[in-house]
Amino acid sequence: MRAFVFPGQGSQKVGMGVELAQASPVAREVFEEVDDALGAKLSAIMAEGPEDQLTLTENAQPAIMAHAIAVLRVLEKEGGLALTGVADCAAGHSLGEYTALCAAGAFSLADTARLLRLRGRSMQAAVPVGVGAMCALLGADLEKAQALADAASEGQVCEVANDNDPGQVVLSGRREAIERAVSLVKEHGIKRGVLLPVSAPFHCSLMQPAADAMAEALDKTPLQAFRVPIYANVSAAAVTDPSEEQRLLVEQVCGRVRWRESVLAMRAAGVEEFVELGGKVVGPMIGRIDPEARVTSVVTMADIEALAKEIA
């Protein structure tokens, strides 16, 4: 069995998609459609920057999605590999779950772009800049990370946001609590704590205003039937029912990204091969979660041709 997986925030970089757009009219169409949906030249920011504009959450989220969908569409239309023919399920890390849903036909490309722009804006607006923070704990498992979060909170929000792999957990919350957590890592047997260069404390209860905004937007943009099951971040389980997935997407804004468990659940269901489209971020995590799993990252035209050849 094979899963298609999609990266989350942090995988954006200036120049993303340029080579693909030059090589393929299919990729150019994707970028144009996203620009039209947003009424803005996101493709120009992706290609030329400036970096601080691309890093803005409201730009980074639709940009990462557009890049991954461009890779998928080229694979489908030029490589002759339909998603349903080659993938048994799909999943994405945080915003990547929206990419997975777009790939599976649950959302149109234009709707996915608009939803992610709103998601980025509402997550940014939920907490004033500087009030929240996130940190990555290296050499921490979930148990150690939870104990540290509890110790550092002192009545402030300090929560596990991402359980990425066996040695990396991310905390999110009030800046003072997150800074306390970083200072306490050694006492909790954790190798290192690193403050992340993010503009808001994602995936914690401070994001409730953004969850409310997404609930309203998702009501107006209902999901269609999926072509393959999607493994949801907050449940780490396969979902096939659009109304259940809609509820989980709202929960996902404040909820934990259970990536490690999602990968283990896909493995338990028989997935042997993971193909990451549009990045090289979740692939390495999967390798750390289960070194036995086969992982391929597909970003460039050469990657697409190699995968098409291998699967064909």
Side-chain angles (χ1 to χ4, degrees), residues 75-252:
L75 189 63
E76 289 184 324
K77 292 185 179 173
E78 295 184 19
L81 296 178
L83 172 81
T84 42
V86 296
D88 299 282
C89 59
H93 190 280
S94 188
L95 82 91
E97 190 168 331
Y98 285 80
T99 316
L101 287 161
C102 180
F107 289 129
S108 70
L109 177 58
D111 282 342
T112 312
R114 286 189 285 262
L115 284 167
L116 285 175
R117 165 138 294 176
L118 174 71
R119 185 176 181 270
R121 278 185 178 157
S122 53
M123 287 169 110
Q124 187 61 68
V127 179
V129 173
V131 170
M134 297 179 79
C135 69
L137 304 176
L138 308 176
D141 58 19
L142 187 56
E143 208 174 321
K144 284 181 180 174
Q146 189 60 62
L148 174 60
D150 294 343
S153 67
E154 293 182 16
Q156 292 182 312
V157 172
C158 185
E159 296 165 8
V160 174
N162 303 29
D163 177 13
N164 284 335
D165 65 43
Q168 192 201 76
V169 179
V170 175
L171 301 185
S172 183
R174 292 281 301 204
R175 175 166 289 278
E176 299 88 350
I178 296 299
E179 287 173 349
R180 276 195 296 274
V182 170
S183 70
L184 293 171
V185 287
K186 291 282 189 277
E187 288 173 36
H188 286 262
I190 295 167
K191 197 157 67 182
R192 271 179 77 205
V194 182
L195 283 170
L196 295 176
V198 293
S199 49
F202 305 129
H203 298 293
C204 76
S205 52
L206 295 174
M207 289 283 115
Q208 190 56 49
D212 297 341
M214 290 313 293
E216 198 180 316
L218 287 162
D219 266 344
K220 294 176 189 157
T221 317
L223 290 90
Q224 306 306 308
F226 322 156
R227 291 198 284 265
V228 294
I230 301 293
Y231 278 76
N233 285 185
V234 293
S235 64
V239 185
T240 52
D241 174 23
S243 58
E244 184 191 355
E245 177 62 22
Q246 183 172 337
R247 178 178 60 78
L248 293 171
L249 284 177
V250 176
E251 281 182 27
Q252 193 226 52

Side-chain angles (χ1 to χ4, degrees), residues 13-25:
K13 59 172 188 279
V14 173
M16 64 195 293
V18 170
E19 182 252 8
L20 209 56
Q22 287 167 348
S24 167

